[in-house]
């Protein structure tokens, strides 16, 4: 139902399965614990702080700061055609971290840890299966449905 680079990585029968439904509407959802208020992304059905199973979805705006990044020159099988590429971990302002590809709006030679960035969901595919990846772009960049360059 939900793929990451063509590999199924999402079990649709969990309490957080509506995450995919919200993505189809262009909304990125994190979760907030109804018992203690702990916020996280990706959404978690069971609170890592107080173990409560009572949570609500909460839309996140995708803003954050670069936590770390790495450049891949020798790509693993399946990604040879897109190397070199840069993978970025973003610390979201609203809690949680996201792994994404460096987007077209930022330059590898200029990014630094701590820079403000915008995480942008890139989803495509209608029907039962949703394909998703994230890019890390300049603050204010908006999302659109599009396949990644190497899978288009
Ligand atoms: Zn909690």
């Amino acid at each position: 139902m939900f793929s990451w680079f063509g590999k199924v990585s999402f079990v649709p029968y969990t309490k957080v399965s509506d995450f995919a439904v919200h993505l189809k509407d262009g909304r990125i959802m994190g979760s907030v614990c109804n018992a203690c208020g702990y916020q996280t992304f990706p959404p978690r059905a069971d609170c890592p702080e107080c173990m409560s199973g009572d949570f609500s979805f909460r839309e996140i705006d995708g803003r954050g700061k670069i936590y770390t990044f790495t450049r891949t020159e020798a790509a693993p099988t399946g990604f040879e055609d897109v190397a070199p590429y840069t993978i970025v971990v973003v610390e979201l302002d609203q809690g949680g971290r996201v792994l994404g590809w460096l987007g077209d709006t930022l330059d590898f030679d200029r990014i630094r840890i701590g820079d403000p960035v915008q995480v942008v969901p890139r989803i495509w595919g209608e029907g039962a299966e949703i394909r998703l990846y994230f890019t890390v772009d300049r603050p204010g960049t908006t999302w659109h449905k599009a396949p990644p360059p190497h899978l288009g």
Side-chain angles (χ1 to χ4, degrees):
M1 168 178 186
F2 185 31
S3 299
W4 178 265
F5 300 124
K7 304 277 192 298
V8 174
S9 63
F10 181 79
V11 179
Y13 310 107
T14 75
K15 290 190 282 185
V16 293
S17 62
D18 280 350
F19 177 68
V21 176
H22 291 298
L23 269 176
K24 276 190 164 182
D25 297 332
R27 307 196 313 158
I28 318 174
M29 305 302 274
S31 62
V32 58
C33 173
N34 290 334
C36 76
Y38 186 81
Q39 302 180 6
T40 189
F41 180 87
R44 298 177 70 160
D46 298 308
C47 179
E49 283 297 303
C50 74
M51 305 307 285
S52 169
D54 183 18
F55 77 99
S56 299
F57 282 106
R58 179 185 52 109
E59 185 171 4
I60 63 168
D61 60 16
R63 286 186 294 208
K65 292 183 172 53
I66 295 176
Y67 180 76
T68 190
F69 60 93
T70 187
R71 184 90 166 163
T72 298
E73 302 282 347
T77 302
F79 294 88
E80 301 94 337
D81 294 346
V82 291
Y85 56 87
T86 304
I87 299 296
V88 183
V89 177
V90 175
E91 182 95 50
L92 293 169
D93 291 345
Q94 293 173 290
R97 291 180 186 156
V98 180
L99 187 71
W101 294 66
L102 188 67
D104 296 338
T105 61
L106 293 173
D107 182 352
F108 170 72
D109 293 325
R110 293 174 181 268
I111 61 172
R112 296 289 178 266
I113 288 172
D115 283 355
V117 290
Q118 174 73 49
V119 173
V120 183
R122 309 288 182 173
I123 70 172
W124 76 104
E126 300 294 334
E129 186 168 303
I130 300 173
R131 295 177 185 273
L132 164 76
Y133 72 111
F134 293 100
T135 59
V136 177
D137 284 287
R138 202 166 33 211
T141 305
T142 55
W143 75 285
H144 60 88
K145 292 184 179 182
H150 62 289
L151 293 177

